[in-house]
Amino acid sequence: MSRFPRVVDDVSVRLIAAVVLVLTVLALATGAWWLYAPLLLDFALRAAVGPQVSPVAQGVDRWLRPRVAAARQPTAGAPKRFAATIGAVMSAVILLLWATGAAQPLLLVLGAAMVLFPALESILGICVGCLGFAGLMRLGVVPAEVCLECADITLRQRRTVSSDL
């Protein structure tokens, strides 16, 4: 059973995305596709268990988040877990393409997407995986019960108010 939190701090999530952005820019700019191996591990750990076992998330919580004065901003955890799963899948595909030497153009396109997605999250707060998750909820593929905070924002607001007391 997963211990992924129902609610996570959006500021921490954006800082994690910034770390991922740095690594993906470095990988794309230098062709160091092996950098996707630690990213794959980190995404997989976050998706399977949660940020408490992610080296990137733990590093952000210990060293970066304390230096950011912004108040905690709660956001639903389920879409962030879905986004981490997408990151793991994309990282695995990139590693497979790189290891086999196949489809160099596709490798570059996926590498660029892996720069774009964390850039949108870290800079603008736009989570592409979360948008996909919301779309799946609207289509009924993901039941609303999976993410009550996503389905009813007032639940998140009530949780925030009660946790601030």
Side-chain angles (χ1 to χ4, degrees), residues 84-118:
T85 302
I86 291 172
V89 169
M90 288 182 70
S91 295
V93 171
I94 287 171
L95 283 168
L96 180 65
L97 291 172
W98 171 64
T100 61
Q104 185 70 20
L106 182 56
L107 180 63
L108 293 173
V109 168
L110 289 174
M114 288 293 288
V115 167
L116 177 63
F117 293 170

mmCIF file of all heavy atoms in Angstrom, residues 84-118:
data_model
loop_
_atom_site.group_PDB
_atom_site.id
_atom_site.type_symbol
_atom_site.label_atom_id
_atom_site.label_comp_id
_atom_site.label_asym_id
_atom_site.label_seq_id
_atom_site.Cartn_x
_atom_site.Cartn_y
_atom_site.Cartn_z
ATOM 1 N N ALA A 84 4.503 12.105 -11.429
ATOM 2 C CA ALA A 84 5.754 11.376 -11.177
ATOM 3 C C ALA A 84 5.777 10.067 -11.959
ATOM 4 O O ALA A 84 6.825 9.657 -12.473
ATOM 5 C CB ALA A 84 5.932 11.117 -9.689
ATOM 6 N N THR A 85 4.624 9.422 -12.085
ATOM 7 C CA THR A 85 4.538 8.188 -12.872
ATOM 8 C C THR A 85 4.852 8.470 -14.342
ATOM 9 O O THR A 85 5.595 7.711 -14.983
ATOM 10 C CB THR A 85 3.143 7.556 -12.727
ATOM 11 O OG1 THR A 85 2.894 7.299 -11.343
ATOM 12 C CG2 THR A 85 3.031 6.260 -13.517
ATOM 13 N N ILE A 86 4.311 9.558 -14.860
ATOM 14 C CA ILE A 86 4.608 9.936 -16.244
ATOM 15 C C ILE A 86 6.099 10.214 -16.397
ATOM 16 O O ILE A 86 6.725 9.799 -17.374
ATOM 17 C CB ILE A 86 3.761 11.146 -16.677
ATOM 18 C CG1 ILE A 86 2.301 10.735 -16.786
ATOM 19 C CG2 ILE A 86 4.265 11.728 -18.003
ATOM 20 C CD1 ILE A 86 1.352 11.876 -17.016
ATOM 21 N N GLY A 87 6.684 10.900 -15.431
ATOM 22 C CA GLY A 87 8.121 11.166 -15.460
ATOM 23 C C GLY A 87 8.932 9.885 -15.467
ATOM 24 O O GLY A 87 9.933 9.771 -16.187
ATOM 25 N N ALA A 88 8.494 8.904 -14.687
ATOM 26 C CA ALA A 88 9.193 7.611 -14.649
ATOM 27 C C ALA A 88 9.091 6.907 -15.999
ATOM 28 O O ALA A 88 10.092 6.377 -16.508
ATOM 29 C CB ALA A 88 8.624 6.731 -13.533
ATOM 30 N N VAL A 89 7.914 6.903 -16.580
ATOM 31 C CA VAL A 89 7.718 6.234 -17.875
ATOM 32 C C VAL A 89 8.550 6.923 -18.959
ATOM 33 O O VAL A 89 9.245 6.255 -19.738
ATOM 34 C CB VAL A 89 6.224 6.189 -18.254
ATOM 35 C CG1 VAL A 89 6.031 5.747 -19.696
ATOM 36 C CG2 VAL A 89 5.457 5.283 -17.297
ATOM 37 N N MET A 90 8.495 8.245 -18.985
ATOM 38 C CA MET A 90 9.263 8.971 -20.007
ATOM 39 C C MET A 90 10.765 8.760 -19.820
ATOM 40 O O MET A 90 11.495 8.582 -20.784
ATOM 41 C CB MET A 90 8.908 10.453 -19.991
ATOM 42 C CG MET A 90 7.520 10.722 -20.546
ATOM 43 S SD MET A 90 7.088 12.477 -20.584
ATOM 44 C CE MET A 90 8.173 13.061 -21.875
ATOM 45 N N SER A 91 11.218 8.756 -18.571
ATOM 46 C CA SER A 91 12.643 8.509 -18.299
ATOM 47 C C SER A 91 13.044 7.115 -18.744
ATOM 48 O O SER A 91 14.122 6.919 -19.325
ATOM 49 C CB SER A 91 12.939 8.689 -16.804
ATOM 50 O OG SER A 91 12.730 10.026 -16.417
ATOM 51 N N ALA A 92 12.186 6.131 -18.498
ATOM 52 C CA ALA A 92 12.480 4.755 -18.906
ATOM 53 C C ALA A 92 12.567 4.651 -20.429
ATOM 54 O O ALA A 92 13.466 3.985 -20.960
ATOM 55 C CB ALA A 92 11.419 3.806 -18.356
ATOM 56 N N VAL A 93 11.648 5.306 -21.124
ATOM 57 C CA VAL A 93 11.664 5.270 -22.597
ATOM 58 C C VAL A 93 12.936 5.945 -23.118
ATOM 59 O O VAL A 93 13.588 5.430 -24.036
ATOM 60 C CB VAL A 93 10.392 5.918 -23.175
ATOM 61 C CG1 VAL A 93 10.502 6.097 -24.686
ATOM 62 C CG2 VAL A 93 9.164 5.079 -22.830
ATOM 63 N N ILE A 94 13.291 7.080 -22.536
ATOM 64 C CA ILE A 94 14.516 7.770 -22.950
ATOM 65 C C ILE A 94 15.728 6.869 -22.742
ATOM 66 O O ILE A 94 16.585 6.745 -23.631
ATOM 67 C CB ILE A 94 14.667 9.110 -22.199
ATOM 68 C CG1 ILE A 94 13.666 10.121 -22.756
ATOM 69 C CG2 ILE A 94 16.098 9.644 -22.287
ATOM 70 C CD1 ILE A 94 13.553 11.412 -21.962
ATOM 71 N N LEU A 95 15.825 6.227 -21.603
ATOM 72 C CA LEU A 95 16.952 5.333 -21.333
ATOM 73 C C LEU A 95 16.972 4.162 -22.308
ATOM 74 O O LEU A 95 18.038 3.763 -22.789
ATOM 75 C CB LEU A 95 16.911 4.826 -19.893
ATOM 76 C CG LEU A 95 17.365 5.825 -18.841
ATOM 77 C CD1 LEU A 95 17.018 5.331 -17.439
ATOM 78 C CD2 LEU A 95 18.865 6.099 -18.965
ATOM 79 N N LEU A 96 15.815 3.610 -22.614
ATOM 80 C CA LEU A 96 15.731 2.495 -23.560
ATOM 81 C C LEU A 96 16.177 2.934 -24.956
ATOM 82 O O LEU A 96 16.965 2.233 -25.607
ATOM 83 C CB LEU A 96 14.305 1.947 -23.602
ATOM 84 C CG LEU A 96 14.063 0.783 -24.530
ATOM 85 C CD1 LEU A 96 14.846 -0.442 -24.071
ATOM 86 C CD2 LEU A 96 12.583 0.460 -24.604
ATOM 87 N N LEU A 97 15.689 4.081 -25.404
ATOM 88 C CA LEU A 97 16.089 4.588 -26.722
ATOM 89 C C LEU A 97 17.592 4.860 -26.768
ATOM 90 O O LEU A 97 18.261 4.548 -27.748
ATOM 91 C CB LEU A 97 15.317 5.868 -27.062
ATOM 92 C CG LEU A 97 13.823 5.706 -27.331
ATOM 93 C CD1 LEU A 97 13.160 7.074 -27.457
ATOM 94 C CD2 LEU A 97 13.581 4.863 -28.573
ATOM 95 N N TRP A 98 18.114 5.452 -25.704
ATOM 96 C CA TRP A 98 19.540 5.753 -25.648
ATOM 97 C C TRP A 98 20.374 4.474 -25.630
ATOM 98 O O TRP A 98 21.335 4.336 -26.382
ATOM 99 C CB TRP A 98 19.842 6.602 -24.410
ATOM 100 C CG TRP A 98 21.307 6.781 -24.152
ATOM 101 C CD1 TRP A 98 22.208 7.433 -24.952
ATOM 102 C CD2 TRP A 98 22.038 6.289 -23.045
ATOM 103 N NE1 TRP A 98 23.456 7.386 -24.387
ATOM 104 C CE2 TRP A 98 23.384 6.688 -23.205
ATOM 105 C CE3 TRP A 98 21.694 5.559 -21.901
ATOM 106 C CZ2 TRP A 98 24.372 6.376 -22.285
ATOM 107 C CZ3 TRP A 98 22.681 5.264 -20.979
ATOM 108 C CH2 TRP A 98 23.998 5.662 -21.181
ATOM 109 N N ALA A 99 19.978 3.510 -24.802
ATOM 110 C CA ALA A 99 20.745 2.265 -24.664
ATOM 111 C C ALA A 99 20.755 1.454 -25.955
ATOM 112 O O ALA A 99 21.747 0.794 -26.270
ATOM 113 C CB ALA A 99 20.184 1.426 -23.517
ATOM 114 N N THR A 100 19.672 1.518 -26.710
ATOM 115 C CA THR A 100 19.588 0.738 -27.954
ATOM 116 C C THR A 100 20.081 1.528 -29.163
ATOM 117 O O THR A 100 20.223 0.961 -30.243
ATOM 118 C CB THR A 100 18.147 0.275 -28.212
ATOM 119 O OG1 THR A 100 17.310 1.425 -28.353
ATOM 120 C CG2 THR A 100 17.641 -0.624 -27.093
ATOM 121 N N GLY A 101 20.296 2.830 -28.983
ATOM 122 C CA GLY A 101 20.732 3.663 -30.102
ATOM 123 C C GLY A 101 19.637 3.877 -31.128
ATOM 124 O O GLY A 101 19.905 4.277 -32.261
ATOM 125 N N ALA A 102 18.412 3.633 -30.739
ATOM 126 C CA ALA A 102 17.289 3.716 -31.672
ATOM 127 C C ALA A 102 16.613 5.084 -31.610
ATOM 128 O O ALA A 102 16.624 5.744 -30.579
ATOM 129 C CB ALA A 102 16.264 2.630 -31.333
ATOM 130 N N ALA A 103 16.047 5.475 -32.723
ATOM 131 C CA ALA A 103 15.143 6.625 -32.812
ATOM 132 C C ALA A 103 15.715 7.892 -32.187
ATOM 133 O O ALA A 103 15.109 8.487 -31.307
ATOM 134 C CB ALA A 103 13.790 6.272 -32.193
ATOM 135 N N GLN A 104 16.873 8.318 -32.673
ATOM 136 C CA GLN A 104 17.506 9.537 -32.159
ATOM 137 C C GLN A 104 16.573 10.758 -32.198
ATOM 138 O O GLN A 104 16.523 11.499 -31.219
ATOM 139 C CB GLN A 104 18.803 9.814 -32.930
ATOM 140 C CG GLN A 104 19.594 10.979 -32.395
ATOM 141 C CD GLN A 104 20.235 10.723 -31.036
ATOM 142 O OE1 GLN A 104 20.404 9.584 -30.626
ATOM 143 N NE2 GLN A 104 20.569 11.776 -30.339
ATOM 144 N N PRO A 105 15.802 10.961 -33.267
ATOM 145 C CA PRO A 105 14.885 12.115 -33.250
ATOM 146 C C PRO A 105 13.849 12.025 -32.122
ATOM 147 O O PRO A 105 13.546 13.018 -31.477
ATOM 148 C CB PRO A 105 14.212 12.075 -34.625
ATOM 149 C CG PRO A 105 15.179 11.319 -35.490
ATOM 150 C CD PRO A 105 15.824 10.311 -34.581
ATOM 151 N N LEU A 106 13.328 10.824 -31.894
ATOM 152 C CA LEU A 106 12.362 10.645 -30.810
ATOM 153 C C LEU A 106 13.019 10.888 -29.454
ATOM 154 O O LEU A 106 12.418 11.483 -28.551
ATOM 155 C CB LEU A 106 11.745 9.243 -30.863
ATOM 156 C CG LEU A 106 10.688 8.927 -29.809
ATOM 157 C CD1 LEU A 106 9.541 9.933 -29.856
ATOM 158 C CD2 LEU A 106 10.163 7.513 -29.994
ATOM 159 N N LEU A 107 14.248 10.463 -29.311
ATOM 160 C CA LEU A 107 15.002 10.702 -28.078
ATOM 161 C C LEU A 107 15.103 12.206 -27.813
ATOM 162 O O LEU A 107 14.885 12.659 -26.679
ATOM 163 C CB LEU A 107 16.394 10.073 -28.190
ATOM 164 C CG LEU A 107 17.330 10.214 -26.995
ATOM 165 C CD1 LEU A 107 16.770 9.509 -25.775
ATOM 166 C CD2 LEU A 107 18.696 9.643 -27.347
ATOM 167 N N LEU A 108 15.409 12.976 -28.840
ATOM 168 C CA LEU A 108 15.523 14.422 -28.674
ATOM 169 C C LEU A 108 14.174 15.069 -28.363
ATOM 170 O O LEU A 108 14.093 15.980 -27.537
ATOM 171 C CB LEU A 108 16.142 15.049 -29.926
ATOM 172 C CG LEU A 108 17.601 14.680 -30.186
ATOM 173 C CD1 LEU A 108 18.059 15.222 -31.536
ATOM 174 C CD2 LEU A 108 18.499 15.158 -29.066
ATOM 175 N N VAL A 109 13.109 14.593 -28.993
ATOM 176 C CA VAL A 109 11.772 15.130 -28.721
ATOM 177 C C VAL A 109 11.368 14.842 -27.276
ATOM 178 O O VAL A 109 10.877 15.729 -26.561
ATOM 179 C CB VAL A 109 10.732 14.560 -29.717
ATOM 180 C CG1 VAL A 109 9.310 14.875 -29.275
ATOM 181 C CG2 VAL A 109 10.994 15.103 -31.114
ATOM 182 N N LEU A 110 11.575 13.604 -26.838
ATOM 183 C CA LEU A 110 11.241 13.261 -25.451
ATOM 184 C C LEU A 110 12.120 14.028 -24.465
ATOM 185 O O LEU A 110 11.648 14.478 -23.410
ATOM 186 C CB LEU A 110 11.376 11.754 -25.217
ATOM 187 C CG LEU A 110 10.316 10.888 -25.877
ATOM 188 C CD1 LEU A 110 10.644 9.414 -25.684
ATOM 189 C CD2 LEU A 110 8.938 11.210 -25.336
ATOM 190 N N GLY A 111 13.399 14.190 -24.800
ATOM 191 C CA GLY A 111 14.288 14.975 -23.955
ATOM 192 C C GLY A 111 13.812 16.420 -23.838
ATOM 193 O O GLY A 111 13.842 17.001 -22.754
ATOM 194 N N ALA A 112 13.362 16.993 -24.953
ATOM 195 C CA ALA A 112 12.832 18.358 -24.921
ATOM 196 C C ALA A 112 11.554 18.440 -24.089
ATOM 197 O O ALA A 112 11.355 19.401 -23.327
ATOM 198 C CB ALA A 112 12.578 18.850 -26.344
ATOM 199 N N ALA A 113 10.701 17.443 -24.203
ATOM 200 C CA ALA A 113 9.478 17.411 -23.383
ATOM 201 C C ALA A 113 9.827 17.314 -21.904
ATOM 202 O O ALA A 113 9.181 17.947 -21.057
ATOM 203 C CB ALA A 113 8.591 16.239 -23.799
ATOM 204 N N MET A 114 10.878 16.555 -21.614
ATOM 205 C CA MET A 114 11.302 16.405 -20.220
ATOM 206 C C MET A 114 11.977 17.670 -19.701
ATOM 207 O O MET A 114 12.209 17.787 -18.502
ATOM 208 C CB MET A 114 12.224 15.193 -20.064
ATOM 209 C CG MET A 114 11.508 13.865 -20.177
ATOM 210 S SD MET A 114 10.366 13.543 -18.821
ATOM 211 C CE MET A 114 11.519 13.238 -17.484
ATOM 212 N N VAL A 115 12.306 18.599 -20.559
ATOM 213 C CA VAL A 115 12.751 19.931 -20.131
ATOM 214 C C VAL A 115 11.522 20.831 -19.976
ATOM 215 O O VAL A 115 11.385 21.555 -18.993
ATOM 216 C CB VAL A 115 13.760 20.533 -21.138
ATOM 217 C CG1 VAL A 115 13.971 22.019 -20.880
ATOM 218 C CG2 VAL A 115 15.075 19.781 -21.087
ATOM 219 N N LEU A 116 10.621 20.760 -20.948
ATOM 220 C CA LEU A 116 9.440 21.622 -20.944
ATOM 221 C C LEU A 116 8.548 21.375 -19.725
ATOM 222 O O LEU A 116 8.121 22.326 -19.062
ATOM 223 C CB LEU A 116 8.639 21.412 -22.234
ATOM 224 C CG LEU A 116 7.334 22.198 -22.340
ATOM 225 C CD1 LEU A 116 7.599 23.699 -22.339
ATOM 226 C CD2 LEU A 116 6.561 21.771 -23.578
ATOM 227 N N PHE A 117 8.251 20.107 -19.419
ATOM 228 C CA PHE A 117 7.307 19.804 -18.341
ATOM 229 C C PHE A 117 7.775 20.331 -16.983
ATOM 230 O O PHE A 117 7.009 21.025 -16.294
ATOM 231 C CB PHE A 117 7.006 18.312 -18.271
ATOM 232 C CG PHE A 117 6.234 17.776 -19.467
ATOM 233 C CD1 PHE A 117 6.072 16.419 -19.635
ATOM 234 C CD2 PHE A 117 5.690 18.618 -20.427
ATOM 235 C CE1 PHE A 117 5.369 15.911 -20.720
ATOM 236 C CE2 PHE A 117 4.984 18.127 -21.521
ATOM 237 C CZ PHE A 117 4.817 16.760 -21.659
ATOM 238 N N PRO A 118 9.010 20.053 -16.543
ATOM 239 C CA PRO A 118 9.416 20.620 -15.250
ATOM 240 C C PRO A 118 9.609 22.135 -15.308
ATOM 241 O O PRO A 118 9.464 22.809 -14.289
ATOM 242 C CB PRO A 118 10.715 19.892 -14.907
ATOM 243 C CG PRO A 118 11.216 19.348 -16.187
ATOM 244 C CD PRO A 118 10.005 19.116 -17.052
#
